[in-house]
Amino acid sequence: MKKIICLIIAALLCLSAVGCGSKETEKKLADTSKEIVVILYDNDEYNSSVKDSFIENINKIYTASKLKISVKNAEGSDDKLSSITSKINVENTLLAVPIGVEASLAANKAFDGAVPIFFANVANPVLSGLMTDKTTPSTTTGIVSTVPANYIFNNFVQSIGSNSVGHVGIIFNTSEIEPMEITNDFKRYLDLNNYYYTETVVANTLEAQQAASKMVYKSSSGSSVIGDNTPDNAAAARKYQNKQGGANMLFLSGDSVVAGSINEIAQILNGSDYYVYVNEPKEIVGKNFVSLKPASASVGKNLADMVAKYLNGTSINLLPCQTADEFDEFAYFDKNLNTTPENSNNQNGQNTENQTGSNTSQSQ
């Protein structure tokens, strides 16, 4: 008899749980009847591609929910952007998806925390004033446009194939916060993985050119390079095998001092075996220059996945900023040649006359 009573109670509890689940589902469907507002500043090709990918992927996830998605485009007008964001009805808005810095700042100012914001294509939301910490969101989070250090280095390793890693050089100026953060992340990655590198801080364009010249000379001559960061621990020091030679890599910071020296540095490196990583595709001015940029399709999908987690009940506080999963590689080639780099497919890239974009996905 006791066994039967227990079974009846268990059955009632299950029915109660199902009822609660149904109510929660109904609540979510009611919430998703509100609008998701996608905001664009202009018709930028890259941001438009991110928008298309986001809408496609979020609709795939919620095929039965009939999400209401509206797209607002300011057509490059600051006044129109301000007008658009100020007229958005907060009560009827489920969340906002601004793409690009301008749209994100306008949404942040207009909503003032009243609407959850999931941005895309913002390099540093903290420096931009969108967040106080990328890992602990309050009402704003999203997909940042920076390229993680491991992707940068792994792209180099894949490019040199079976060759060993040789001298790694880093040239930077310390006056700009965002480029310094990217440079420090790269240095930190090399330290954690026990790679030897030479770093040179430059104050002007002439010093940047001189630093590149010294690195090329010392690397080619085989002489020791100043700035030795080999640890005292002998076991760890043995891991710094790239001191012994191999394919060379030069990381150029995206700060204005180094960027202003880019053409002269390219001339200095002409004929060397240096693989040169630059922060922006537009800075690709030499044959071994490369850059990475988050693939727009990946950004849109990652953003849709993040929004889906939120719609499924995950608090925005538990959704820290993320980077994309895939990146497009931009590389230089001589336009007078009849061939382009292997595996080039010109996907999702804003390519200049001397550049080609090829999609590359690298595990972290």
Side-chain angles (χ1 to χ4, degrees):
M1 185 65 178
K2 288 182 179 180
K3 186 176 182 180
I4 293 173
I5 292 173
C6 288
L7 289 173
I8 292 172
I9 292 172
L12 289 172
L13 288 172
C14 288
L15 288 172
S16 175
V18 170
C20 290
S22 298
K23 289 179 181 178
E24 286 299 316
T25 302
E26 289 173 4
K27 184 179 178 182
K28 288 174 187 174
L29 291 175
D31 285 344
T32 54
S33 68
K34 296 181 180 181
E35 275 193 339
I36 293 177
V37 182
V38 180
I39 306 170
L40 296 170
Y41 175 65
D42 55 23
N43 295 311
D44 175 79
E45 183 180 353
Y46 181 83
N47 287 338
S48 295
S49 181
V50 171
K51 176 259 298 179
D52 291 341
S53 176
F54 168 75
I55 293 174
E56 177 186 355
N57 282 282
I58 198 68
N59 279 327
K60 282 181 181 178
I61 297 171
Y62 289 97
T63 53
S65 298
K66 297 181 181 179
L67 295 174
K68 292 183 179 180
I69 302 174
S70 65
V71 178
K72 312 289 185 181
N73 192 327
E75 304 292 340
S77 168
D78 292 335
D79 291 339
K80 188 174 180 179
L81 179 62
S82 178
S83 176
I84 284 173
T85 53
S86 64
K87 290 179 180 178
I88 292 174
N89 189 328
V90 173
E91 296 299 323
N92 293 332
T93 303
L94 181 61
L95 55 92
V97 179
I99 302 174
V101 177
E102 297 92 346
S104 299
L105 289 174
N108 183 65
K109 180 180 179 181
F111 302 142
D112 194 26
V115 173
I117 294 176
F118 291 82
F119 62 77
N121 196 22
V122 174
N124 194 317
V126 176
L127 289 179
S128 299
L130 297 173
M131 307 174 67
T132 56
D133 191 318
K134 289 185 286 187
T135 60
T136 56
S138 176
T139 58
T140 301
T141 189
I143 309 298
V144 296
S145 60
T146 52
V147 182
N150 59 310
Y151 279 81
I152 296 172
F153 193 76
N154 287 343
N155 184 260
F156 168 56
V157 172
Q158 290 182 4
S159 297
I160 65 176
S162 60
N163 294 322
S164 62
V165 176
H167 173 246
V168 178
I170 303 171
I171 299 176
F172 61 99
N173 175 267
T174 60
S175 63
E176 298 169 39
I177 298 174
E178 190 173 311
M180 269 306 303
E181 285 190 351
I182 296 171
T183 300
N184 285 334
D185 284 343
F186 185 67
K187 289 164 56 180
R188 193 176 300 114
Y189 177 82
L190 295 177
D191 286 331
L192 289 172
N193 290 277
N194 294 311
Y195 280 104
Y196 168 81
Y197 61 89
T198 300
E199 59 177 293
T200 304
V201 180
V202 296
N204 51 57
T205 56
L206 178 59
E207 288 186 4
Q209 296 166 38
Q210 292 173 338
S213 181
K214 288 179 181 178
M215 287 183 183
V216 171
Y217 170 75
K218 291 179 180 295
S219 176
S220 61
S221 66
S223 57
S224 61
V225 187
I226 56 174
D228 193 335
N229 67 322
T230 306
D232 295 332
N233 183 285
R238 285 197 295 271
K239 296 181 182 179
Y240 281 66
Q241 295 177 3
N242 64 306
K243 283 189 66 176
Q244 307 306 315
N248 298 307
M249 177 185 185
L250 181 58
F251 177 96
L252 297 180
S253 167
D255 61 77
S256 57
V257 171
V258 176
S261 316
I262 209 77
N263 288 300
E264 290 77 13
I265 290 176
Q267 291 178 5
I268 292 168
L269 297 173
N270 187 34
S272 75
D273 65 347
Y274 266 86
Y275 164 109
V276 186
Y277 182 82
V278 289
N279 191 56
E280 296 284 348
K282 65 183 180 182
E283 295 172 354
I284 297 175
V285 294
K287 68 173 184 176
N288 292 332
F289 282 57
V290 297
S291 186
L292 296 176
K293 185 174 183 177
S296 58
S298 176
V299 174
K301 183 181 184 305
N302 294 150
L303 189 61
D305 291 340
M306 180 182 282
V307 168
K309 289 179 181 178
Y310 171 75
L311 294 178
N312 288 343
T314 301
S315 170
I316 195 171
N317 306 112
L318 302 177
L319 296 171
C321 291
Q322 299 177 13
T323 58
D325 290 334
E326 297 181 6
F327 296 83
D328 287 336
E329 179 192 73
F330 292 77
Y332 179 93
F333 69 94
D334 189 335
K335 64 182 179 181
N336 295 317
L337 298 178
N338 294 321
T339 58
T340 57
E342 190 176 351
N343 297 326
S344 171
N345 58 20
N346 296 308
Q347 268 194 331
N348 301 323
Q350 299 173 346
N351 300 338
T352 68
E353 193 174 35
N354 290 335
Q355 298 164 22
T356 181
S358 61
N359 189 273
T360 176
S361 174
Q362 300 153 3
S363 60
Q364 298 189 27

Short mmCIF file of all heavy atoms in Angstrom, two decimals, residues 19 48 71 73 81 95 131 139 155 162 167 187 253 256 260 270 304 317 323 337 345:
data_model
loop_
_atom_site.label_atom_id
_atom_site.label_comp_id
_atom_site.label_asym_id
_atom_site.label_seq_id
_atom_site.Cartn_x
_atom_site.Cartn_y
_atom_site.Cartn_z
N GLY A 19 3.80 20.86 -15.83
CA GLY A 19 2.99 22.07 -15.87
C GLY A 19 3.83 23.31 -15.74
O GLY A 19 3.65 24.29 -16.47
N SER A 48 27.14 44.36 -42.76
CA SER A 48 25.91 43.84 -43.38
C SER A 48 25.96 42.32 -43.47
O SER A 48 24.94 41.65 -43.28
CB SER A 48 25.73 44.44 -44.78
OG SER A 48 25.52 45.84 -44.71
N VAL A 71 15.30 45.53 -38.76
CA VAL A 71 16.63 46.06 -39.05
C VAL A 71 16.53 47.57 -39.24
O VAL A 71 15.73 48.06 -40.06
CB VAL A 71 17.24 45.42 -40.30
CG1 VAL A 71 18.61 46.02 -40.60
CG2 VAL A 71 17.35 43.90 -40.13
N ASN A 73 18.71 50.98 -40.20
CA ASN A 73 19.96 51.41 -40.83
C ASN A 73 20.00 52.92 -40.90
O ASN A 73 19.11 53.56 -41.49
CB ASN A 73 20.08 50.81 -42.23
CG ASN A 73 21.47 50.98 -42.82
OD1 ASN A 73 22.16 51.96 -42.57
ND2 ASN A 73 21.89 50.00 -43.62
N LEU A 81 20.98 58.04 -36.88
CA LEU A 81 21.25 56.97 -35.92
C LEU A 81 20.69 57.33 -34.55
O LEU A 81 20.06 56.51 -33.89
CB LEU A 81 22.76 56.73 -35.82
CG LEU A 81 23.23 55.66 -34.82
CD1 LEU A 81 22.68 54.29 -35.21
CD2 LEU A 81 24.75 55.63 -34.75
N LEU A 95 15.51 42.62 -27.24
CA LEU A 95 16.94 42.92 -27.11
C LEU A 95 17.39 43.66 -28.36
O LEU A 95 16.71 43.65 -29.39
CB LEU A 95 17.75 41.64 -26.90
CG LEU A 95 17.60 40.51 -27.93
CD1 LEU A 95 18.63 40.63 -29.04
CD2 LEU A 95 17.73 39.16 -27.25
N MET A 131 31.09 48.68 -21.60
CA MET A 131 31.12 47.77 -20.46
C MET A 131 32.23 48.20 -19.50
O MET A 131 33.15 48.92 -19.90
CB MET A 131 31.39 46.32 -20.92
CG MET A 131 30.46 45.80 -21.99
SD MET A 131 30.95 44.16 -22.60
CE MET A 131 30.66 43.13 -21.15
N THR A 139 24.28 44.55 -18.63
CA THR A 139 23.18 44.54 -19.61
C THR A 139 23.71 44.49 -21.03
O THR A 139 22.93 44.52 -21.98
CB THR A 139 22.30 45.80 -19.45
OG1 THR A 139 23.13 46.96 -19.63
CG2 THR A 139 21.64 45.84 -18.09
N ASN A 155 48.54 30.63 -36.95
CA ASN A 155 48.52 30.93 -38.38
C ASN A 155 49.94 30.96 -38.93
O ASN A 155 50.20 30.49 -40.05
CB ASN A 155 47.83 32.28 -38.61
CG ASN A 155 47.68 32.62 -40.08
OD1 ASN A 155 48.48 33.40 -40.62
ND2 ASN A 155 46.67 32.07 -40.73
N SER A 162 56.43 22.50 -42.21
CA SER A 162 57.31 21.63 -41.43
C SER A 162 58.53 22.36 -40.88
O SER A 162 59.31 21.79 -40.11
CB SER A 162 57.76 20.44 -42.29
OG SER A 162 58.47 20.91 -43.43
N HIS A 167 63.36 33.17 -35.13
CA HIS A 167 63.30 34.36 -34.30
C HIS A 167 61.92 35.03 -34.39
O HIS A 167 61.37 35.21 -35.46
CB HIS A 167 64.37 35.35 -34.74
CG HIS A 167 64.28 36.68 -34.05
ND1 HIS A 167 63.97 37.84 -34.69
CD2 HIS A 167 64.41 37.01 -32.73
CE1 HIS A 167 63.94 38.84 -33.84
NE2 HIS A 167 64.21 38.36 -32.63
N LYS A 187 52.55 38.70 -26.33
CA LYS A 187 53.75 38.41 -25.54
C LYS A 187 53.45 37.38 -24.45
O LYS A 187 54.25 36.47 -24.19
CB LYS A 187 54.28 39.70 -24.91
CG LYS A 187 54.91 40.66 -25.90
CD LYS A 187 55.08 42.06 -25.32
CE LYS A 187 55.87 42.07 -24.03
NZ LYS A 187 56.02 43.45 -23.50
N SER A 253 52.82 46.05 -34.01
CA SER A 253 51.67 46.59 -33.29
C SER A 253 50.82 47.47 -34.21
O SER A 253 51.31 48.03 -35.20
CB SER A 253 52.16 47.42 -32.09
OG SER A 253 51.12 48.19 -31.55
N SER A 256 49.74 53.90 -33.97
CA SER A 256 49.96 54.86 -35.06
C SER A 256 51.43 55.03 -35.42
O SER A 256 51.76 55.29 -36.58
CB SER A 256 49.34 56.21 -34.70
OG SER A 256 49.89 56.72 -33.49
N GLY A 260 52.56 53.99 -39.04
CA GLY A 260 53.10 55.06 -39.87
C GLY A 260 54.43 54.72 -40.50
O GLY A 260 54.91 55.45 -41.38
N ASN A 270 62.20 43.50 -47.32
CA ASN A 270 62.17 42.96 -48.68
C ASN A 270 63.37 42.03 -48.91
O ASN A 270 64.51 42.41 -48.72
CB ASN A 270 62.18 44.10 -49.70
CG ASN A 270 61.98 43.58 -51.12
OD1 ASN A 270 61.27 42.61 -51.33
ND2 ASN A 270 62.61 44.24 -52.08
N ALA A 304 24.41 34.76 -32.70
CA ALA A 304 23.10 34.09 -32.64
C ALA A 304 23.08 33.03 -31.54
O ALA A 304 22.10 32.90 -30.80
CB ALA A 304 22.77 33.46 -33.99
N ASN A 317 24.43 38.07 -17.37
CA ASN A 317 25.62 38.15 -16.50
C ASN A 317 26.54 36.95 -16.66
O ASN A 317 27.72 37.01 -16.32
CB ASN A 317 25.19 38.24 -15.03
CG ASN A 317 24.21 39.36 -14.77
OD1 ASN A 317 23.05 39.12 -14.46
ND2 ASN A 317 24.65 40.59 -14.91
N THR A 323 35.13 35.82 -28.70
CA THR A 323 35.70 36.10 -30.02
C THR A 323 35.06 35.15 -31.02
O THR A 323 34.39 34.18 -30.62
CB THR A 323 37.23 35.89 -30.02
OG1 THR A 323 37.52 34.55 -29.61
CG2 THR A 323 37.92 36.86 -29.08
N LEU A 337 51.73 38.79 -61.09
CA LEU A 337 51.81 37.34 -61.26
C LEU A 337 50.44 36.81 -61.63
O LEU A 337 49.41 37.41 -61.31
CB LEU A 337 52.31 36.68 -59.98
CG LEU A 337 53.72 37.08 -59.52
CD1 LEU A 337 54.05 36.38 -58.21
CD2 LEU A 337 54.76 36.72 -60.57
N ASN A 345 40.12 32.02 -51.31
CA ASN A 345 38.74 31.98 -51.80
C ASN A 345 38.04 33.32 -51.68
O ASN A 345 36.86 33.43 -51.96
CB ASN A 345 37.93 30.89 -51.07
CG ASN A 345 37.91 31.11 -49.56
OD1 ASN A 345 38.16 32.22 -49.08
ND2 ASN A 345 37.60 30.08 -48.82
#
